[in-house]
Amino acid sequence: GSFCADYYGNIHFVWREAITADDKRIKYRKWNAKTQSFGNVITVSSATGVITICPMIQPTPIGNTVEILWASEGYANDPNYYQLLIREVKADETLGTLYQLTSDGALTHRYLYYTFDYDSQGYRHIVAIAKNHTTDPNPGNIWYIRQAPGGWQPKVQINTEAGDADLAHYMSNLVINRHDDVYIAYDIGPFQTVKSPLYIKRIRDGVISPKVVVEAGDPSPGGTVPLIQ
């Protein structure tokens, strides 16, 4: 599950709830700061009989609404693999339109870990890790998806330096500053018990900078979890 606070002090919660082993839905509930009470539990995902995973929630730039990003089976050409979906919950706790953001989830492009943020114009920016090996659960790459005035732009791979392909781990994160610079943090390295290096890249006006080392890693046990806020 995940939660956030909006501009007015309301607290918004989201989680995944198992109805059955093959039916797992995204649920939402709001704590109203003005009334000092909880609202109703709302089902955000619309498909039934499918598995959903990893809901993320963010307050929108409007200030009193939130959006929820999650992955779900049951969509696109291969319904057995996850696609990314996003939906707004309005101030009155009614649901906005459900948007399907991807249709390329497949055996060799399995979306598992993702996060998102907004720029000053209210456009969404998403970073997601997609695993790409048919039998090994580890290899994967990091993808950046952004919304622009002309609509959603084609996704762009982040880990493009020599030797970095297919070595994305399980966590990455994205933040946007007040100048609309996008920063993506991620770790790249062998899938062992060693501590992998932590990197960051800046995206300014759609141009991706070279990676910068935040922490070099070492051969001792442990793992880097790049959560920056």
Side-chain angles (χ1 to χ4, degrees), residues 54-87:
C54 303
M56 303 293 296
I57 190 168
Q58 285 271 25
T60 72
I62 295 173
N64 61 355
T65 69
V66 296
E67 283 193 317
I68 298 167
L69 174 70
W70 74 97
S72 178
E73 298 176 341
Y75 292 85
N77 294 330
D78 193 335
N80 296 313
Y81 294 98
Y82 299 117
Q83 309 297 339
L84 299 182
L85 308 171
I86 196 167
R87 193 170 203 177

Side-chain angles (χ1 to χ4, degrees), residues 75-78 81-83 102-111:
Y75 292 85
N77 294 330
D78 193 335
Y81 294 98
Y82 299 117
Q83 309 297 339
T102 65
S103 59
D104 58 353
L107 177 61
T108 55
H109 198 80
R110 305 185 305 279
Y111 290 110

Side-chain angles (χ1 to χ4, degrees), residues 122-141:
Y123 294 116
R124 307 174 187 94
H125 299 253
I126 298 167
V127 62
I129 292 179
K131 298 298 182 175
N132 62 0
H133 195 280
T134 56
T135 57
D136 187 341
N138 288 317
N141 293 304

Side-chain angles (χ1 to χ4, degrees), residues 6-55:
D6 66 29
Y7 178 82
Y8 297 95
N10 304 305
I11 310 296
H12 305 263
F13 300 86
V14 65
W15 66 94
R16 183 181 76 155
E17 187 170 306
I19 308 303
T20 67
D22 298 317
D23 190 348
K24 297 179 180 179
R25 305 179 193 177
I26 304 301
K27 300 285 187 172
Y28 164 88
R29 198 176 194 188
K30 174 182 176 180
W31 168 260
N32 190 302
K34 184 176 181 179
T35 63
Q36 293 289 290
S37 63
F38 276 109
N40 294 325
V41 174
I42 299 170
T43 301
V44 178
S45 53
S46 59
T48 60
V50 301
I51 295 175
T52 63
I53 62 170
C54 303

